[in-house]
Amino acid sequence: GAVVSQHPSRVICKSGTSVKIECRSLDFQATTMFWYRQFPKQSLMLMATSNEGSKATYEQGVEKDKFLINHASLTLSTLTVTSAHPEDSSFYICSARDPTGQETQYFGPGTRLLVL
Amino acid sequence: GESVGLHLPTLSVQEGDNSIINCAYSNSASDYFIWYKQESGKGPQFIIDIRSNMDKRQGQRVTVLLNKTVKHLSLQIAATQPGDSAVYFCAENIANSGYSTLTFGKGTMLLVSP
């Protein structure tokens, strides 16, 4: 399957700072990427759909000004958590749709964010 | 008290047994389903998928069964191994106007003892 990477894998920051997480599709182009959030022992919750060259589509209840998404190229989407607070601490996972056009999504390894 | 959301259903099996993990999905319009395996601290890993025009699909040691009548999906793992221990999620593809997204089930933790 297609390989997706994320960076960083783990980040600790102070409350009030902003954190950027990168999601890259390796060896394939991804016009659509997705950002999920996962709390301990819970399922993945879709935050937004990232579209290359256009605005992201946010799920209900997700603040677009808080979670900034930029999909500037066909292999890179970034999620910036602005003015992070302890309640933003979570596991953030991105995915990219199968390059052949199927609905399958391939996931990155995730980024563990801890806000102190 | 503890939140219900913190308790994942758990299936405990012995190495070599067959495992069956079940999932109920919500949307009768879903046309595509995927099973993912997630190990602790990692992203979900694709296992197997099935389209709504099928009721069974087999992979290596895994079989997915789809019952659209009762909106039920199952994952069967043959000869379960300790390395199969993980959380398993089903996901349904829901087509919205112009795009589609995956909705994940709550997950089942599979524990395999040697």
Side-chain angles (χ1 to χ4, degrees), chain A residues 76-98:
Chain A
L76 173 64
S77 174
T78 60
L79 169 69
T80 301
V81 183
T82 62
S83 186
H85 291 286
E87 57 266 30
D88 297 324
S89 299
S90 189
F91 194 48
Y92 292 88
I93 315 173
C94 72
S95 70
R97 184 164 281 147
D98 187 292

Side-chain angles (χ1 to χ4, degrees), chain A residues 38 43 97 102-105, chain B residues 32 36 38 51 100 104-105:
Chain A
Q38 185 179 33
S43 189
R97 184 164 281 147
Q102 299 294 323
E103 297 92 333
T104 310
Q105 292 179 24
Chain B
Y32 178 64
Y36 286 95
Q38 187 179 28
R51 296 210 166 270
S100 62
F104 281 76

Side-chain angles (χ1 to χ4, degrees), chain A residues 18-110:
Chain A
S18 294
V19 175
K20 179 186 284 188
I21 303 169
E22 294 184 348
C23 178
R24 293 182 186 274
S25 57
L26 304 182
D27 300 328
F28 73 99
Q29 295 180 337
T31 56
T32 305
M33 291 183 172
F34 303 86
W35 286 97
Y36 294 82
R37 183 173 179 174
Q38 185 179 33
F39 291 107
K41 297 188 178 181
Q42 294 190 27
S43 189
L44 284 76
M45 296 298 296
L46 179 64
M47 298 175 67
T49 302
S50 173
N51 303 298
E52 188 269 334
S54 64
K55 291 182 180 180
T57 304
Y58 289 82
E59 295 300 301
Q60 192 172 11
V62 178
E63 299 176 58
K64 61 181 181 182
D65 295 328
K66 170 89 176 159
F67 300 99
L68 300 179
I69 291 172
N70 187 342
H71 194 153
S73 80
L74 286 170
T75 59
L76 173 64
S77 174
T78 60
L79 169 69
T80 301
V81 183
T82 62
S83 186
H85 291 286
E87 57 266 30
D88 297 324
S89 299
S90 189
F91 194 48
Y92 292 88
I93 315 173
C94 72
S95 70
R97 184 164 281 147
D98 187 292
T100 65
Q102 299 294 323
E103 297 92 333
T104 310
Q105 292 179 24
Y106 294 97
F107 286 81

Side-chain angles (χ1 to χ4, degrees), chain B:
Chain B
E2 294 179 318
S3 167
V4 172
L6 293 176
H7 291 282
L8 275 175
T10 300
L11 174 64
S12 297
V13 301
Q14 293 285 118
E15 181 178 3
D17 287 352
N18 296 331
S19 302
I20 300 176
I21 300 171
N22 297 303
C23 174
Y25 63 93
S26 58
N27 194 327
S28 56
S30 298
D31 59 356
Y32 178 64
F33 304 86
I34 310 171
W35 278 101
Y36 286 95
K37 171 186 180 183
Q38 187 179 28
E39 297 175 343
S40 181
K42 298 183 179 180
Q45 176 187 357
F46 173 89
I47 301 174
I48 192 167
D49 59 0
I50 189 168
R51 296 210 166 270
S52 58
N53 60 353
M54 303 171 68
D55 52 22
K56 181 179 180 178
R57 188 155 190 238
Q58 286 185 291
Q60 187 177 14
R61 279 202 309 120
V62 293
T63 301
V64 55
L65 298 177
L66 174 62
N67 185 330
K68 294 182 289 294
T69 303
V70 294
K71 291 190 283 188
H72 183 269
L73 197 65
S74 69
L75 176 70
Q76 300 178 1
I77 305 174
T80 314
Q81 303 167 0
D84 294 327
S85 294
V87 178
Y88 290 80
F89 293 98
C90 66
E92 58 182 307
N93 181 73
I94 299 175
N96 298 301
S97 52
Y99 67 99
S100 62
T101 58
L102 291 181
T103 298
F104 281 76
K106 295 189 189 313
T108 297
M109 179 174 291
L110 176 64
L111 296 174
V112 184
S113 345

